[in-house]
Amino acid sequence: MTASHFTGSTAEAPVLSSNVNPCPPLTAPDRQADHSRFVQRVRRRYAAELACLPPGEPVLASMRACLGVLRERGLPVPAALRVLRQLVLERLVVLDCEQGAPLAVVTRAVTELAELALDEACALACADLDELHGAPQFTTPSGERQRAQLWVIGMGKLGARELNVSSDIDLIYVYDQDGETAGNAQGRQRISNHEYFGKAVKHIYNTVGETTEHGNVFRVDLALRPNGNSGPSAVSLGALEEYFLVQGREWERFAWLKSRVIAPAACVQNRSASALRGTVLPFVFRRYLDYGVFDALRTLHRQIRDHASKRAAGNPGRSNDVKLSRGGIREIEFTVQLLQVVRGGQFPELRTRPTLDALQRLCKAGLMPQATATALAQAYEFLRRVEHRIQYLDDQQTHVMPTRDDDLNWLAATLGYPDMCAFLHALDAHRELVAQEFDTLLGGPTHGGCNGKGCGTKKNGANGRSAADDLQGVLEQLPPAFASRVGQWREHPRVLALREDTRARLVRLVQRTGAWIDEGRVSEEAAQRMADWIEPLLRRESYLALLQERPSVHERLLRLLGAAKWPARYLIQHPGVIDELASQQLLTERFDAAQFEGELEARRAALRSTGEDGEEALLNLLRRAHHAEVFRTLARDVEKVLTVEQVADDLSALADSVLRTTARWCWARLKSRHRERPSFAIIGYGKLGGKELGYGSDLDIVFVYEDDHENAAEIYAAFVRKMINWLTVKTGEGDLFEIDTALRPNGNSGLLVTSFTAYANYQQQRGSNTAWTWEHQAMTRARFVLGGETDAPPAAPLPPEGAGAAVGPCGGARSLADRFDAVREAVITAERDAASLAAEIVAMRSKVRAAHPVRGERFDVKHSPGGMVDVEFVVQYLVLLHSRTHPELRANTGNINLLRRAEAAGLLEPGMGEAAARAYRELRQIQHTARLDEAPTQVDAARVEEAARAVLAMWQHVLGRVAPPV
């Protein structure tokens, strides 16, 4: 989505006269609040009461004080609330139009007025009904009788605290428990809780919604309740949950997105009403990315526009509606809500009610460019302020632009425009931008159609046609192999079970894919792999919807699947990552550890705010984020955006981030933890240590701690077991890594986590229990992974004054990092006998070769003589023998860089190190490509003859005197 550029249009502006000066300049008197007919009426009718409202912005406290004064003057609660509303709105007109108060001041005041009125109405209803029927009650599992509660749920702008000044309020009444009332003082007049709360709804309406001589407080609309106007006025929480499961419609998810318990205030304050969230959240936000709501929103929007058109048929002025017409407020709200509903299941940080806040969150999540979010926010504020001024005129619930010139001049003046023409031009420009963005989001006129041959036929399916008929009609349009694969679906149980609209989507995707094969945009092999991928996912209709709604995602998917086999397998295991293909930044960005961890922390905070941060939820959160990032790297890899080395760097950095986050979260949830942060570290070996991770690589790691607590060994053992479980356990979202701890002191027979002192003694040959040479070979690629202040969570708060220096998630980890570096340097720079070291390394090479025999004439890029393992062993030998006198070999900078440094140091003949480095890169690229396509890593020896010769020459020069690599 990108912000639209526009020059403006006046197509919908009111017709202006052809005078020489059609838009006279506006002055300060044109901004006076008393132009409003509503203000004039209030000042005449309630002149004596105006002073009851304390000066300044109307807020809950001042409104409550005003209500108290009005009650002291003898007004009953319903009348006092109505008069209070008149006074509050008169004040808002002055603040908004004459003093330029921010939009938030107005919407907050009206929202708090509604909250106050509903709280008072609930108290009044309960007092009257309790006297007649007794309190509504239910029996707890322990047999105790408790009061059942009624929750008044505000929908739409009331729920989002965005009420406009003449708005009605959309309410839904839910009570928590069925049961029976206690009866009156004589024990009579018992009724069911359902009847009691039905009476309460009527009572509340009389207090708030009924029109009297003072008007009403708010018009009340209950049409959004379950089953609409035909449903009961109040429903139990259990009935609401069942309704969502059985009958809840897609458009209702948008309605419930902004829902919030408004009253009684006590239920909000004691959080007893939070039980509603557990019912509403799964209904609004689905577990998987949910592109199926696009059609639902299109239908809803079309109905709204059709209704607006019918209303305007006899009155052309109604077509200029700042809320419902093209480019109006509703289209901004729909744009935001659609992205929230689609993504909010997987990205809890998007779950917010206010529109302006949601825009910024969408931008922060990368779902909307900053320019677009800013432009839509500006349009929203502008249109809402226009809406308020329209309603200030006569206190009418209307959004239609006035037609009188004096009214239009007043709107322009109070918004700060020099004349009416400038105002109308700005109005049109904002609405044009909104309309373009909304049309872009919903796919424009094609609505995500198939864009290929045959797309104009059977668009919506044919009533009464079977799956076989639908698919048979497109088979003749497809290439033979793809047609044969799709033909298998004609009798497939999953296809036969599809709803008609979903089957129509499938048919259109097949048609589009066939057209693209004919055009040469995608390969037939890619199409067959797509069929293999989509078949087990047919019951998850949202994936079909995503591909239909986003042709660009469909095409990227086919290119990815056509490039190699492994991406197809990864997508089958983790289908949810497909949505990453919709990102505009997919191929232009690299992995950013700080951003990745910051987003994870934001999502955990969002889950915590709704009480959903259980262990399983966090496990799945980690997995979804990791799988999505691996997939982004995979897409960049397949599209040749990244080199093999860059892929390894990004996957290694991702593993580091996952380990850091897992450590933080596990320690925070460890029951036996005895300090704020653990004094603990993770040492990476092998591919993780060398930053050479590939797809699906396991992690070779060693856990160490440095803590004087008497139970430190047991505490850190429990911590490490928890971490390993979090990393390896399979959930519904899969797993993260396989963990290998065999390189810890004494291998698999040693402790899972050891003190750093014991680790250092083992590596530095102190005592009788010491490391073997092969373990020192491994140390050449070891790296301190977890620890140090840089591992603290993003934007972590500073410690309180006097709490000591800040540390990372592992207390004291900075010193542990330095101490590890010292141990590693001591190990690799220890004085060694060249012949003995060479003999041991050659012997180890022989063991590896025996464990991975290469048969036949083909060349194994890793294990054959002249392969990658030979390079790695030579580098390890050079580091262990010469880093004592050549400090440039001590840094863990990777095999290619170390080969070049060894040549520069004179340890290799001129050109030998560079030739071996080129050979290593070539062999690594071949291995990487083969694994992506799930192909053998054995190739024709002639293909790598030059690379193998370079490696063998280096081996012979360095270790050949001991034994050749054959």
Side-chain angles (χ1 to χ4, degrees):
M1 187 187 298
T2 56
S4 307
H5 297 278
F6 49 83
T7 58
S9 162
T10 56
E12 292 192 43
V15 177
L16 304 174
S17 66
S18 57
N19 295 339
V20 175
N21 185 17
C23 292
L26 302 172
T27 60
D30 294 309
R31 293 194 290 272
Q32 294 303 303
D34 59 7
H35 176 83
S36 159
R37 272 91 59 186
F38 163 72
V39 168
Q40 295 170 23
R41 292 196 303 270
V42 171
R43 289 177 178 177
R44 287 194 303 267
R45 175 75 186 274
Y46 300 105
E49 287 80 18
L50 285 172
C52 295
L53 183 64
E57 300 172 6
V59 295
L60 185 59
S62 64
M63 287 187 279
R64 195 182 298 278
C66 181
L67 182 65
V69 173
L70 293 172
R71 292 282 288 117
E72 289 173 1
R73 293 191 177 191
L75 290 175
V77 171
L81 287 170
R82 283 159 175 76
V83 175
L84 173 63
R85 177 189 181 274
Q86 308 289 335
L87 305 183
V88 168
L89 263 63
E90 187 273 343
R91 177 71 56 78
L92 291 176
V93 179
V94 174
L95 291 172
D96 193 357
C97 298
E98 295 183 4
Q99 301 177 22
L103 174 64
V105 169
V106 179
T107 55
R108 182 187 65 201
V110 183
T111 300
E112 290 183 349
L113 174 63
E115 293 170 350
L116 173 60
L118 289 167
D119 188 46
E120 293 287 336
C122 285
L124 195 60
C126 289
D128 289 351
L129 291 172
D130 282 5
E131 185 176 353
L132 286 172
H133 304 287
Q137 296 182 330
F138 70 97
T139 304
T140 67
S142 62
E144 182 184 357
R145 298 285 287 172
Q146 291 187 4
R147 184 182 184 104
Q149 297 292 339
L150 175 68
W151 300 325
V152 184
I153 301 168
M155 310 292 282
K157 288 185 172 64
L158 174 57
R161 297 183 172 88
E162 299 171 329
L163 269 185
N164 58 55
V165 291
S166 293
S167 178
D168 61 358
I169 51 176
D170 295 299
L171 301 179
I172 294 177
Y173 293 91
V174 176
Y175 57 94
D176 60 350
Q177 297 287 344
D178 282 308
E180 187 180 62
T181 65
N184 60 19
Q186 292 76 38
R188 300 176 180 175
Q189 297 292 324
R190 287 190 175 90
I191 57 176
S192 69
N193 287 357
H194 182 75
E195 293 175 278
Y196 177 98
F197 291 124
K199 291 176 182 290
V201 170
K202 293 178 181 178
H203 199 295
I204 292 170
Y205 174 81
N206 291 338
T207 303
V208 174
E210 189 175 45
T211 302
T212 70
E213 59 175 318
H214 299 292
N216 56 32
V217 190
F218 288 96
R219 290 172 294 275
V220 177
D221 190 342
L222 303 183
L224 292 177
R225 68 186 187 272
N227 296 305
N229 291 329
S230 62
S233 57
V235 296
S236 69
L237 183 59
L240 178 67
E241 185 170 9
E242 183 178 359
Y243 175 83
F244 284 160
L245 290 172
V246 178
Q247 296 176 260
R249 290 159 290 183
E250 294 291 346
W251 68 263
E252 290 178 288
R253 296 171 59 197
F254 293 96
W256 280 91
L257 173 63
K258 295 190 175 188
S259 64
R260 177 171 63 93
V261 176
I262 304 300
C267 290
V268 178
Q269 293 162 1
N270 65 25
R271 302 188 65 82
S272 61
S274 61
L276 182 69
R277 296 286 287 174
T279 297
V280 173
L281 283 176
F283 173 65
V284 176
F285 302 110
R286 303 296 164 83
R287 179 180 176 187
Y288 299 101
L289 291 164
D290 191 8
Y291 277 81
V293 298
F294 273 73
D295 275 344
L297 186 61
R298 283 197 194 99
T299 301
L300 178 59
H301 184 252
R302 185 167 56 249
Q303 290 171 349
I304 291 171
R305 276 195 177 172
D306 289 347
H307 179 65
S309 298
K310 290 176 183 178
R311 291 178 62 210
N315 185 348
R318 287 186 176 275
S319 63
N320 220 337
D321 188 312
V322 297
K323 178 180 179 181
L324 301 179
S325 293
R326 184 174 184 272
I329 297 167
R330 181 57 54 84
E331 291 191 353
I332 301 176
E333 294 171 339
F334 277 180
T335 297
V336 172
Q337 291 170 19
L338 180 58
L339 292 173
Q340 286 181 284
V341 170
V342 168
R343 304 289 193 111
Q346 292 200 348
F347 303 101
E349 67 271 26
L350 300 180
R351 301 174 190 174
T352 186
R353 300 179 183 94
T355 301
L356 292 174
D357 181 41
L359 275 169
Q360 293 310 309
R361 294 192 186 205
L362 290 169
C363 178
K364 188 175 181 181
L367 301 179
M368 183 181 290
Q370 181 64 61
T372 301
T374 300
L376 288 178
Q378 291 171 347
Y380 180 79
E381 289 211 34
F382 175 86
L383 293 171
R384 289 299 308 273
R385 297 182 74 205
V386 172
E387 172 190 46
H388 285 163
R389 281 151 179 75
I390 293 171
Q391 295 175 350
Y392 289 148
L393 288 169
D394 296 291
D395 189 23
Q396 295 294 311
Q397 188 191 5
T398 179
H399 315 278
V400 177
M401 289 288 291
T403 55
R404 288 171 44 172
D405 282 355
D406 61 337
D407 289 345
L408 287 168
N409 279 330
W410 185 70
L411 262 66
T414 57
L415 286 165
Y417 286 92
D419 55 51
M420 185 203 306
C421 292
F423 160 63
L424 293 174
H425 180 77
L427 172 64
D428 188 68
H430 281 302
R431 289 172 63 180
E432 184 60 28
L433 177 137
V434 171
Q436 289 184 23
E437 292 299 337
F438 183 74
D439 289 343
T440 299
L441 180 65
L442 286 187
T446 63
H447 300 331
C450 70
N451 299 340
K453 65 182 181 180
C455 294
T457 61
K458 300 182 290 297
K459 183 175 180 181
N460 296 313
N463 290 333
R465 291 174 63 90
S466 68
D469 292 334
D470 286 341
L471 290 169
Q472 185 62 45
V474 300
L475 290 180
E476 60 189 28
Q477 305 169 17
L478 305 178
F482 187 41
S484 174
R485 181 67 183 86
V486 172
Q488 299 172 19
W489 288 347
R490 286 175 294 180
E491 302 300 327
H492 196 288
R494 286 197 182 98
V495 177
L496 295 175
L498 292 177
R499 296 195 321 238
E500 186 175 308
D501 59 338
T502 305
R503 192 167 67 242
R505 279 185 178 140
L506 178 62
V507 170
R508 291 199 295 275
L509 284 176
V510 169
Q511 289 174 316
R512 184 199 283 163
T513 305
W516 286 349
I517 294 172
D518 287 349
E519 295 167 12
R521 291 166 65 173
V522 301
S523 68
E524 190 171 3
E525 184 178 23
Q528 291 177 267
R529 288 176 181 168
M530 186 193 78
D532 293 338
W533 171 76
I534 213 167
E535 185 176 291
L537 301 172
L538 285 173
R539 290 177 182 171
R540 298 185 190 176
E541 299 175 3
S542 60
Y543 294 117
L544 290 175
L546 167 60
L547 295 178
Q548 179 196 335
E549 295 290 345
R550 294 286 183 263
S552 61
V553 174
H554 183 195
E555 185 172 7
R556 269 186 179 177
L557 171 67
L558 286 164
R559 286 207 310 270
L560 189 67
L561 294 175
K565 293 178 181 178
W566 194 82
R569 185 182 302 278
Y570 193 79
L571 275 167
I572 289 173
Q573 292 173 338
H574 312 294
V577 301
I578 184 180
D579 191 62
E580 300 302 323
L581 293 174
S583 169
Q584 297 295 323
Q585 295 79 35
L586 176 66
L587 301 182
T588 60
E589 295 182 348
R590 293 277 301 274
F591 173 69
D592 184 324
Q595 180 180 351
F596 176 80
E597 293 179 54
E599 289 175 354
L600 278 173
E601 293 295 344
R603 287 171 195 161
R604 184 174 72 144
L607 290 172
R608 189 189 307 121
S609 70
T610 56
E612 298 176 275
D613 59 335
E615 189 156 303
E616 184 176 1
L618 296 183
L619 289 172
N620 287 331
L621 177 58
L622 279 169
R623 281 150 179 74
R624 282 194 297 268
H626 176 260
H627 299 334
E629 201 59 55
V630 169
F631 185 71
R632 292 187 192 109
T633 301
L634 175 63
R636 294 164 191 150
D637 182 7
V638 168
E639 294 284 356
K640 310 299 183 186
V641 174
L642 301 180
T643 65
V644 176
E645 289 84 359
Q646 289 173 324
V647 170
D649 286 345
D650 286 1
L651 291 177
S652 300
L654 173 60
D656 290 357
S657 285
V658 171
L659 287 170
R660 280 194 296 269
T661 303
T662 303
R664 283 197 299 271
W665 294 2
C666 283
W667 184 257
R669 303 176 75 90
L670 187 69
K671 294 179 180 178
S672 59
R673 69 188 178 104
H674 60 296
R675 55 193 298 165
E676 185 64 26
R677 290 178 180 143
S679 182
F680 160 87
I682 293 178
I683 313 300
Y685 283 82
K687 292 186 181 300
L688 176 64
K691 296 186 178 180
E692 294 181 352
L693 281 186
Y695 304 112
S697 293
D698 59 3
L699 303 185
D700 293 300
I701 53 182
V702 169
F703 300 95
V704 296
Y705 69 91
E706 189 74 351
D707 193 322
D708 294 332
H709 191 276
E710 60 182 351
N711 296 322
E714 293 82 0
I715 292 170
Y716 288 102
F719 176 41
V720 167
R721 284 195 296 271
K722 189 176 187 70
M723 273 196 70
I724 292 176
N725 180 64
W726 272 49
L727 293 165
T728 60
V729 68
K730 289 187 182 296
T731 72
E733 299 289 344
D735 58 6
L736 288 169
F737 298 102
E738 290 295 322
I739 302 298
D740 189 341
T741 60
L743 287 170
R744 66 187 188 270
N746 297 309
N748 290 329
S749 62
L751 296 173
L752 190 58
V753 56
T754 57
S755 70
F756 185 83
T757 300
Y759 171 82
N761 289 340
Y762 180 82
Q763 294 292 346
Q764 293 178 272
Q765 311 292 316
R766 296 173 183 160
S768 58
N769 182 30
T770 59
W772 296 80
T773 298
W774 66 265
E775 292 177 282
H776 288 172
Q777 288 180 250
M779 183 65 92
T780 65
R781 303 182 71 188
R783 175 172 64 89
F784 192 88
V785 171
L786 190 156
E789 292 180 15
T790 56
D791 293 328
L798 293 173
E801 188 173 353
V807 294
C810 302
R814 177 67 71 183
S815 61
L816 277 178
D818 294 339
R819 291 170 65 190
F820 166 76
D821 289 341
V823 168
R824 178 181 177 276
E825 185 167 323
V827 168
I828 65 175
T829 60
E831 189 170 357
R832 291 178 172 87
D833 177 73
S836 298
L837 177 63
E840 290 189 63
I841 286 182
V842 169
M844 179 55 64
R845 176 67 183 96
S846 298
K847 290 181 180 179
V848 172
R849 187 184 315 116
H852 299 87
V854 180
R855 298 178 177 84
E857 300 299 320
R858 296 182 69 78
F859 183 91
D860 187 300
V861 296
K862 183 174 183 180
H863 294 291
S864 287
M868 294 166 62
V869 174
D870 285 350
V871 175
E872 293 163 359
F873 273 57
V874 167
V875 169
Q876 291 163 14
Y877 172 81
L878 292 172
V879 169
L880 291 176
L881 184 62
H882 297 292
S883 62
R884 181 180 181 86
T885 54
H886 292 280
E888 64 269 31
L889 297 182
R890 297 173 189 174
N892 183 3
T893 60
N895 291 310
I896 291 175
N897 196 19
L898 288 170
L899 285 169
R900 289 169 175 162
R901 292 186 180 190
E903 181 180 318
L907 303 176
L908 298 174
E909 293 181 354
M912 180 176 285
E914 183 61 40
R918 286 198 304 270
Y920 186 74
R921 175 175 284 126
E922 178 185 346
L923 296 174
R924 191 173 168 191
Q925 178 66 62
I926 293 171
Q927 180 193 56
H928 182 73
T929 303
R931 288 179 174 173
L932 271 183
D933 207 31
E934 298 182 345
T937 55
Q938 290 84 34
V939 299
D940 184 358
R943 178 183 173 187
V944 294
E945 182 178 358
E946 183 178 348
R949 187 184 301 120
V951 173
L952 288 171
M954 181 179 65
W955 177 279
Q956 185 63 34
H957 175 75
V958 176
L959 294 169
R961 291 183 296 274
V962 178
V966 294

